[in-house]
Each structure stands twice: as structure tokens, then as C-alpha cells.
Amino acid sequence: MEIIDSLMRKGVKIPNPAGVEIGPEVDIERISGNGVVIHNGCRVQGEHTLILDGARLGAEGPATVENCLVGPGVELKGGYFSRAVFLENACCGSGSHVREGTILEEGASIAHTVGLKQTILFPFVTLGSLINFCDCLMAGGTGPKNHSEVGSAYIHFNFTPNQDKATASLIGEVPRGVMLNQKPIFLGGQGGMVGPVRLDYGITVAAGTIVRKDEPRPDRLIYGGASKAGNIEFRPGLFAGTGRIIRNNLVYIGNLLALRQWYLGARSFFVGDRFPEALIDGLVDTVEFGIAERIKRLQELGDKMAQAGDDSLSGRWTAVEAVLQDRFESQGDPRLREAFLEKLLQRIAGLGKKYIAVVQGFDPEGSSLGTAWLQGIVEEASEAAAAALK
């Protein structure tokens, strides 16, 4: 109880101290005493756990928070949360199961009983209830009333009959998505997506539809009824469409490399009381973990293809991996980067370190500069890796 008493003396509100468990390894200096509430049934664990002003844990049910970075005003209402990052005013409903590699940026939210792992949701993205949405990056929308959304009872299918997970899907992308000026994407409820899929902004998927193909065109309505019935001979170990699958994986990795540079090069200027350096470090670490995961899964796919007699990926894997490692620290075109960051600093000087307001207020020239800088990083990595396969 000593650690709980220390937190309460700091100002943390714990209505039922006897019903809360705080691990002895938790650093109480990383838990704010300003408006933080830890409700009955909560367990807080991990030496890296960070909980900032106004965060609330367990308002709807017991919550386990393990080595998470919890930003200001975040609500983790109930469930299990491990090695994830939640930025200001993100919200997770009861029954959440949020695991490593996950980032919810400002105002992103999930309703009750949602599973996330290796998932990145950009600001304001909203997921309904009863959803499994692992191995996805989703962007789109301009604010709390104009956001990308996933309807209830949605599944991202991220495991194949061949037992590989080279299946991460891009719903939107990083270079335009970070500018918070794109049309939202809507994935209708009672539906699903067979990864890896790429969708552009402005796309609406009708309820009950299973998305199986990329749609690079914006402003489309995708709809479909029940699949045609069939019963044909099939055995795991047969691979089809691997060119598209590999390409989508390389583009996804390129987007994560671009996001890493966005966090290092742009987000870092917003470090302050409500966005401490520990959050930047956590964002970068999480993206790096995601990059390593995607490279690992792609290599595993190559190995399985080779077992089936196709060594087109595994036979060139050393060269592909070398290209990706070589591009890891690439900051993109220095002229574009410096021109954009100069405009960013000008806006910060006028508005202060208000991330959403600063980014949303860019004129077309400013946002285009930022997008071009990041798109160059995506293309540099993905195209060079694709060339290594030829």
C-alpha cells in the first residue's frame, strides 16, 4: 500500500485503494498527480509506464495497464493494455485488448470489446464495438466531426491459410494523412478486409462487404453481397498474387519509415508539459518495433514460398533486407524537409505547441511540402527494395 499512499499524496484519485494494484517496479515520478483517476479493479505495471494529467483508468471496468504511455486526458475505460502509446484525449471502451506496437494519436477512439495489435490510428479515427483490427494503419479526416470510422463487428483478416502474417493494410497512408486534411474513410460494420490491402482517401465500404482488393482511386463506394458459394480442392502451401502482397508490404514498411521521420523531425518540436519527451521516445520506439515486425513477417512469407518451390523472395532476401536497413535513417530530400520544417516552426511561433491546430492550419503549399517530403521517403525505400527483387 505504500506506493498507493505515495500516489494519493501526489494527488492521484484512487477511490478504493484496497482494490487497486500498483506494481513495485512502477516509477511514481512518471505518474502525474494532476487529475489522474485510477478506479477500482485496476492494475498498473511496468517500469516504463507513463500516465499524464487528467488520464482516467477503469471507469467502466477493471483495467490492466502494462508499460503503456498514457497521454493527457486519455481514458482507458476497461480491459488489457500493454506496450501501447495513447496521445492526448484518446479513448478506449471497456473490454479493450490493446497490445504491443499500437499507437492511438490525439482523439482516436475505440468502443467496447476491440482488439488491436501493431495498429496505428491517426487523430480522430474512430472504431466501433466488437472489432478485431490488428496490423493496420488508418488515417483520414480533419477533426472530431469529420473522421475516418470503422463500423461495429468488423474484422481485419491478418492470418492466412499458409500461416503467415505479411498482411498489414494501409487505410489511407502517412504522407497525406499526417497533414489532417484528407477526406475520411468509412468501413461499414459487419464487414471485413483481407490484408494486405491499400485504400485511398474518401472511400466508403458498404456494411457487410469483405474487401479483398486494393483501391487506389479516391472517392469510391465499394459494396458486395455474399460470396459465391463453392467447394473446390485446396491445400495450404499454394501461393497466388504474391507480387501484390510483397509490394504492399514494402509500401507499408516505407510508410512506417516516413512516420518515424515525422515523429523525429516534426513531432519533436511539440515537446512540452503536455507532450513530454518520453512520449516522443515511445512513439519512435513503437514505430521501430512495427518496422521490425513487418520485415520479420515478410521474411517468413519468403521462407514459406521457398518451401513451396518459389524462391523469388527468399533468394533475394539478403539484398532486400540490406536496402531496408540502409534506408532506415534516411530523412528524405533535405531541401523539402528543411523547407517544410521552416514553415512548421513559423506556425509554432505563432500558435504555440498545439499540434492539431498547427498542422490543420497549413496552407496548401505547406501541406504539399510536408507530403512531398514524406512521400519521397516512402518511395525511396519501397521502390529500392522492389528493385532488389528483380
Side-chain angles (χ1 to χ4, degrees):
M1 290 292 291
E2 181 178 348
I3 191 169
I4 292 177
D5 291 340
S6 297
L7 288 173
M8 293 176 69
R9 285 195 295 270
K10 285 186 68 174
V12 177
K13 295 180 175 62
I14 305 178
N16 182 18
V20 169
E21 178 184 331
I22 308 293
E25 75 285 357
V26 173
D27 182 355
I28 65 171
E29 296 303 317
R30 291 170 64 88
I31 300 179
S32 169
N34 184 17
V36 171
V37 181
I38 304 177
H39 288 285
N40 185 48
C42 288
R43 299 167 61 201
V44 179
Q45 301 173 322
E47 60 183 335
H48 300 297
T49 292
L50 176 77
I51 303 175
L52 299 181
D53 296 358
R56 300 171 63 90
L57 310 182
E60 295 180 348
T64 295
V65 178
E66 176 184 82
N67 278 322
C68 290
L69 305 182
V70 182
V74 168
E75 293 188 70
L76 305 181
K77 296 183 178 181
Y80 176 73
F81 308 89
S82 177
R83 297 176 64 190
V85 182
F86 306 91
L87 300 188
E88 188 165 5
N89 295 328
C91 181
C92 298
S94 60
S96 298
H97 196 251
V98 179
R99 293 174 288 165
E100 64 268 20
T102 296
I103 296 171
L104 270 65
E105 293 196 354
E106 288 86 351
S109 67
I110 62 177
H112 70 80
T113 325
V114 173
L116 306 178
K117 181 183 179 186
Q118 295 287 343
T119 304
I120 299 175
L121 305 181
F122 276 18
F124 316 118
V125 172
T126 300
L127 274 59
S129 305
L130 304 169
I131 290 171
N132 190 310
F133 209 64
C134 300
D135 296 315
C136 297
L137 185 151
M138 188 168 189
T142 59
K145 295 184 178 180
N146 182 44
H147 55 78
S148 290
E149 181 155 350
V150 180
S152 295
Y154 201 90
I155 297 176
H156 178 249
F157 298 102
N158 67 331
F159 189 72
T160 76
N162 291 319
Q163 303 181 13
D164 72 81
K165 296 186 73 174
T167 50
S169 290
L170 277 173
I171 303 108
E173 35 73 285
V174 170
R176 288 175 291 164
V178 295
M179 303 312 302
L180 305 180
N181 60 2
Q182 295 298 304
K183 293 180 180 179
I185 299 168
F186 181 80
L187 306 180
Q190 204 79 15
M193 179 180 295
V194 181
V197 165
R198 295 161 59 192
L199 298 181
D200 204 351
Y201 294 105
I203 285 177
T204 294
V205 179
T209 301
I210 305 295
V211 178
R212 302 176 184 275
K213 298 180 180 180
D214 301 339
E215 181 47 83
R217 298 170 295 179
D219 305 318
R220 307 289 296 182
L221 172 64
I222 300 173
Y223 59 92
S227 298
K228 182 179 178 181
N231 187 330
I232 61 175
E233 183 179 359
F234 172 79
R235 62 178 176 83
L238 299 176
F239 290 86
T242 54
R244 183 189 73 87
I245 291 170
I246 293 168
R247 177 65 180 172
N248 279 5
N249 274 268
L250 295 177
V251 171
Y252 196 99
I253 293 168
N255 272 265
L256 291 184
L257 291 170
L259 184 59
R260 179 178 181 272
Q261 289 302 323
W262 176 258
Y263 287 156
L264 289 169
R267 278 271 193 181
S268 58
F269 289 118
F270 293 88
V271 168
D273 291 340
R274 294 183 68 79
F275 189 70
E277 191 168 348
L279 276 181
I280 277 288
D281 292 342
L283 290 171
V284 173
D285 289 346
T286 302
V287 171
E288 290 178 354
F289 182 66
I291 293 168
E293 173 75 4
R294 299 275 62 90
I295 292 174
K296 170 188 170 184
R297 297 299 186 179
L298 188 57
Q299 182 179 15
E300 289 175 350
L301 172 64
D303 292 341
K304 289 180 179 292
M305 289 168 57
Q307 292 172 12
D310 179 358
D311 67 351
S312 58
L313 178 55
S314 65
R316 297 172 177 81
W317 179 251
T318 300
V320 172
E321 188 174 30
V323 166
L324 295 175
Q325 293 297 335
D326 184 57
R327 302 305 191 278
F328 189 78
E329 296 291 347
S330 174
Q331 297 181 347
D333 187 319
R335 294 168 299 176
L336 291 173
R337 182 179 186 274
E338 291 167 12
F340 172 74
L341 294 182
E342 181 179 352
K343 287 183 174 291
L344 178 67
L345 289 171
Q346 290 172 356
R347 289 193 53 74
I348 292 173
L351 291 173
K353 296 182 178 182
K354 302 175 181 177
Y355 177 75
I356 298 295
V358 167
V359 174
Q360 283 180 327
F362 269 114
D363 58 23
E365 180 187 0
S367 61
S368 295
L369 267 176
T371 294
W373 163 45
L374 296 175
Q375 187 62 38
I377 296 172
V378 175
E379 292 176 358
E380 179 186 14
S382 60
E383 292 181 3
L389 284 169
K390 296 179 180 178

